[in-house]
Structure formats: structure tokens, C-alpha cells
Amino acid sequence: MPRLSRRQTLTGLAGAGATAVAGCLGSGDDGDGTLEIALHWNYFESLDPTVDQAGDIQVFEPLVEVTADADFEPAIASDWEAVDETTWIFELDADATFHNGEAVTAEDAVWSLERAFNESPSLSEVPVNSVERRDENRIAITTTEPFAPLLAYLTRVDAAIISPDSIEDGEVVEPISAGPFRFESWEPGDTLTATRFEDYHRGTANVERVLYNVVTDNQTRSLRLENGDADIAHRVPASSLETLEADDELNPHVVETQSVRFLVFNTNSPPFDDRRVRQAVSYAIDRPAIVDLLAGLPEPANGGPIPPSLERWAAEDVEGYSHDPDRAETLLDEADWDESQEITLWTYTAHEFDVLAEAIQQQLAEVGFDIDIRVTEYGPLGEAKEAGEFDFSMESWHSNMGGDIDRAMSYYHSDDTNLSSGYGNDRIDDLIAEGRRTLDLAERQDIYAEIQRTVTEDAPLCYLTYNSHLYGSRTAVEGYDPQPPRNMDLTRIENDPDN
């Protein structure tokens, strides 16, 4: 095995460590019925659901929600119907009430959705023609053309219905929605507290009060749970599994997330503008070895871009990449590879990427790559990618949005700004558009199967693992089942610290 350097540029970690240490203060239950949750990600940069992910805390509620079977269930809308190819009618639950005590009306829903469609970048793909009031409890959403994934987009946090009273001088200053918990207070980027909404229209939650702490450091998050300073911890490192299993006061939860770890190549610049070099990387990766580093929790991504667990959408005839260093070396020879060329692998401080980056560095060195590693916060990584100033990056993104994979397919569009790979294929662009317009499920599945086959061969991404993550809870927390798509759902649990 060749001798490897461990050149790593660690950028911006001091801030994350400070947040983690700050999150260590306090206790899991302070006697007032508060449930404390240690989050792995900063969801609290804003209280506006159109610009941040804070809706996952269940303060907000959309028209519809998605089930574990990728079907849809009522939320603020009690019923809905597609009356033609471009018009959907939604009937609002007459019992739905905002946190300020006012009923959710059709006027409120129209105002909120118009704002969301105008403000949210994630909803910009929806070809909305109009959102109109039909009567006191019914609204109509009309699109300019058939749009199959509309319901899936309406399950997003961005599409949550908020009261106009949430806004002051154009900004969301107090989020007033209709979810099972109501906003109490927050410290931007650090904590958020929510209390039970007694008039929630789908049944009052058992938990009285929830305190969310942003604890970005993996080990600190685990220690908070183990020491009783948190009742629930999200995405603790895989190395904590044995500890959770051995402690009678803790419960591990292995959560199949329907997300994918992958490498994103900058296909606009050497060396990854050459498909053969991208494919060589895919053959050089030993996915089972990566899975072993993660305590065997995820599955090796030996197929295409969609996890097999998404049975409705994962194409069965995708020829993926097995571990084949000889094939990798052959492809590099065909590409006249220069082994002296240095390449930087970017990644960020989450999902144990720092450990995985070193493993990938070693695996790629075995076929002739000289890899430098740069670990940073996600912000600087995103800025570098947007500017095209990166070679390749390691990331993790969801394949499933509201039971649909339209969002995952859009990553391969030539106009994509999420992954910023620079990949362009006119046929793929046409298929993505066709898939959105096609209302027949079987026809959409065929369209997306072709996309999966093509992009796997073109390799703008190198798929590493189909993810499962480890969550932990105290045994006093009963009924906690963090399986997607409602892995942050607290409405069904009870917390008895004396248990």
C-alpha cells in the first residue's frame, strides 16, 4: 500500500465547536415537562419557512403530508381533488386553527401559498398559474401545465400555511401556523423552544414543551444523550451504537433515511470533465469498506441514484459500479492520467464525512490519485461550488421529497444549482420536463428509469452509500419512532423521566 499524506485543511471548525460546547449546558428534563432534543444541524437561521428548515419542528403545517408508504394524508387540507390536468381543489379542515386562536381561512391559505411560491427557491420549479379562493374553506391551485409532483411539493416546509400576523415589515418575526406546537422563543442558530398547542385540530400532543438545541459536534451530541442532558439526540455517530445498545437507559434507533452519500464532480473543469476519470473514481471506491466504517448501518450504493427502499421509483436495470481497481486503472490509462496532479476533495462537518474522506483518499491513492482533503462548514463549500472553484465534494442529499423523486432527478438538470456539478445532457433535461408533465405513474417510472440509467453511466456523481442514520433516546421517552418521512414527529410520544 502506498505511503499516504494526511493533508487536511480544517476551516471554520472553531465556530461549530463553540456551538457544541454551548449546547452541553442544561439538563434533559428540568422538571417542567420539557423534552430536550439535540439536533445535528442548524435549522434556526430564520423563522421563515420559505428560507429555512425550521418547519421540521412541527410549529408549521402544510396542506398535506406524506406517509411512510409514499401516499398523502390530510393536514390543513381535509380533502383534495384534481378536477382537470392543471387544477387542484383543496378543502380546508374547518377545525384548523392558527396559534393566535383565529381560524385558518381560504384567504389565509391563498395569501400564504402565494407568498411561498414567490419567495421560496425550492418551490420555483412549480409552474403555478394562480392560487384562488373558491369559498370560505376551499382554494384552487392552477398550474400552467400538468405537474405530476404538485402534492409532493406541497408537503414541503416551504409550503406551510402561516398567518399574515406572522409578518412585520416584510419579515417573519413570530411564526404563527397551525402545527401541534406553537413557537415560544429562540436564540438564532442555537436553540428554539415550542409549547404544546392545546387547540391543534388533529389531536393534542402528549409532550408539553420542547427545547431544541443545535449541537453540531457528533461526540458532544452523543455525550449529551448518555449523560441525561438530552432526551433525544439526532444522528449520533455510528461509533456510538454499541454504547447505546449496552445502556439500559438508552434506546438506539436505526433510521433508513432514503438519502444518499455521494461524490459530486465538477464536470466543467479538469480532471473530471472527462467521463472516464469520473468512472475510474466510481470503480476505485470500496463501498463495503465505507459501510464498515459506519458500523454497518448504511447499504453500499452499488446501483444507481435512487435507494432500492424507494421501490416505487428505483430502477431495477441500472448497472452500477462494483469495486474494481483494475478497471479504474484501465480507464485512467485511456484518459492519459497524470499521477502528479493534485485534486482537492471538499466536504463539510457532518455525517462523519471527515472519517470517510480519509478512507476515500486512501482508496483513490491505490489507483493513482493524489487527493488533498478540505473539511469546512457547508457555507464555504456551497460558495466554492457555486463559483465552480472545486474539484469534487462529498455530500449527502435526500432522494425522497414528499414521496416523489422529482427533486432528486432535478439534480441532473443542466440548470441545477443544488449540486452545481455542471453536468449537462439535453436528453436528460427533456426527460425531467417530460416526467413532470406526465400524470400516469407507470409512464413516469419509465421516464425516470431512463434518467437513472443514463446518469449512472455518465457519472456526474459517484454514489457511496444508501443511508441509515443512528438516533438515540432515553428509555423514558415512549413511542418515539423516528422513521421517515416523519422522523422529527413528536406528537405520538410521551416523556416520563421517573420511568
Side-chain angles (χ1 to χ4, degrees):
M1 181 176 297
R3 182 180 179 183
L4 304 175
S5 66
R6 295 186 55 184
R7 302 184 306 271
Q8 290 190 307
T9 302
L10 301 179
T11 306
L13 299 185
T19 300
V21 172
C24 286
L25 303 178
S27 60
D29 187 278
D30 54 14
D32 65 352
T34 298
L35 183 81
E36 297 201 20
I37 300 178
L39 298 173
H40 73 290
W41 193 260
N42 181 9
Y43 293 95
F44 307 138
E45 291 291 350
S46 169
L47 295 173
D48 189 339
T50 67
V51 299
D52 204 26
Q53 305 176 64
D56 286 337
I57 61 173
Q58 295 186 285
V59 167
F60 302 99
E61 185 160 293
L63 291 177
V64 296
E65 291 181 343
V66 66
T67 70
D69 298 324
D71 291 323
F72 298 98
E73 64 181 9
I76 286 180
S78 58
D79 199 7
W80 54 88
E81 178 186 11
V83 296
D84 58 44
E85 289 189 343
T86 59
T87 305
W88 288 78
I89 303 294
F90 295 86
E91 183 173 350
L92 307 185
D93 188 334
D95 295 326
T97 306
F98 284 125
H99 297 147
N100 61 5
E102 297 181 0
V104 179
T105 67
E107 288 89 345
D108 295 324
V110 168
W111 173 86
S112 183
L113 288 169
E114 286 183 336
R115 177 181 183 274
F117 287 129
N118 287 327
E119 298 290 336
S120 170
S122 298
L123 295 177
S124 62
E125 303 291 347
V126 182
V128 175
N129 182 49
S130 65
V131 184
E132 298 177 336
R133 175 188 183 275
R134 289 295 174 94
D135 57 39
E136 186 63 22
N137 285 315
R138 292 194 308 151
I139 67 170
I141 299 177
T142 304
T143 54
T144 58
E145 62 183 5
F147 190 70
L150 176 64
L151 287 180
Y153 275 85
L154 292 178
T155 68
R156 290 183 55 89
V157 171
D158 321 50
I161 304 302
I162 65 172
S163 166
D165 291 342
S166 304
I167 306 294
E168 185 176 304
D169 296 329
E171 301 289 335
V172 175
V173 294
E174 179 184 355
I176 302 171
S177 187
F181 295 91
R182 61 188 302 170
F183 172 79
E184 180 179 303
S185 62
W186 76 318
E187 291 291 335
D190 190 11
T191 66
L192 187 144
T193 303
T195 55
R196 180 172 63 196
F197 182 39
E198 301 294 345
D199 295 326
Y200 181 54
H201 65 113
R202 291 196 284 168
T204 307
N206 296 313
V207 176
E208 296 179 14
R209 190 169 181 264
V210 184
L211 172 61
Y212 297 92
N213 286 295
V214 176
V215 187
T216 56
D217 181 77
N218 285 335
Q219 296 302 327
T220 305
R221 205 161 52 252
S222 294
L223 288 173
R224 281 185 60 82
L225 180 67
E226 294 167 24
N227 295 337
D229 295 328
D231 300 298
I232 294 172
H234 287 195
R235 298 200 186 180
V236 296
S239 57
S240 297
L241 179 59
E242 290 186 6
T243 300
L244 296 184
E245 290 177 331
D247 192 324
D248 291 339
E249 295 185 353
L250 302 176
N251 285 326
H253 306 271
V254 178
V255 179
E256 187 176 25
T257 64
Q258 298 172 342
S259 64
V260 183
R261 282 186 184 88
F262 46 65
L263 304 176
V264 180
F265 299 111
N266 183 351
T267 65
N268 284 331
S269 301
F272 295 122
D273 57 344
D274 190 325
R275 184 174 73 168
R276 295 168 297 186
V277 179
R278 304 195 298 267
Q279 291 174 333
V281 171
S282 290
Y283 280 117
I285 296 297
D286 185 349
R287 293 164 181 82
I290 291 174
V291 168
D292 288 343
L293 287 173
L294 299 170
L297 296 182
E299 294 291 329
N302 293 323
I306 304 301
S309 59
L310 287 171
E311 296 179 3
R312 178 178 296 179
W313 301 112
E316 296 180 353
D317 56 349
V318 176
E319 185 175 348
Y321 296 86
S322 59
H323 183 217
D324 190 344
D326 291 339
R327 177 63 176 149
E329 290 178 349
T330 298
L331 286 165
L332 291 175
D333 287 342
E334 293 174 2
D336 295 325
W337 179 250
D338 179 3
E339 292 193 9
S340 66
Q341 182 173 0
E342 291 187 1
I343 305 170
T344 299
L345 170 61
W346 287 69
T347 193
Y348 52 101
T349 52
H351 311 302
E352 298 165 280
F353 281 150
D354 52 348
V355 175
L356 300 184
E358 292 186 5
I360 288 172
Q361 179 189 53
Q362 180 174 330
Q363 292 175 8
L364 294 183
E366 293 177 359
V367 299
F369 286 97
D370 184 12
I371 304 296
D372 187 22
I373 298 172
R374 181 171 297 177
V375 182
T376 181
E377 296 296 318
Y378 189 79
L381 168 58
E383 292 170 2
K385 292 180 62 181
E386 186 176 354
E389 297 173 353
F390 78 110
D391 296 320
F392 68 144
S393 61
M394 179 162 48
E395 306 180 36
S396 179
W397 288 69
H398 277 280
S399 300
N400 176 16
M401 178 204 67
D404 200 281
I405 62 168
D406 173 78
R407 189 74 171 164
M409 295 294 93
S410 71
Y411 299 155
Y412 303 96
H413 196 282
S414 57
D415 292 333
D416 170 67
T417 57
N418 288 292
L419 301 186
S420 301
S421 70
Y423 175 68
N425 182 317
D426 290 342
R427 173 62 177 166
I428 295 299
D429 289 354
D430 291 342
L431 287 171
I432 291 171
E434 184 180 354
R436 290 174 169 170
R437 293 191 301 266
T438 301
L439 302 181
D440 182 83
L441 176 60
E443 292 180 13
R444 285 191 80 206
Q445 289 171 327
D446 289 341
I447 291 167
Y448 290 151
E450 181 178 343
I451 294 176
Q452 292 172 63
R453 290 191 297 269
T454 301
V455 300
T456 301
E457 182 178 2
D458 283 351
L461 275 60
C462 168
Y463 314 114
L464 303 174
T465 64
Y466 303 129
N467 294 339
S468 290
H469 294 302
L470 181 62
Y471 287 53
S473 66
R474 309 288 302 177
T475 53
V477 179
E478 300 178 356
Y480 180 59
D481 183 22
Q483 297 301 324
R486 297 173 65 97
N487 60 308
M488 295 185 76
D489 183 15
L490 304 177
T491 60
R492 297 172 175 84
I493 71 172
E494 296 187 24
N495 186 33
D496 182 8
D498 297 325
N499 182 16

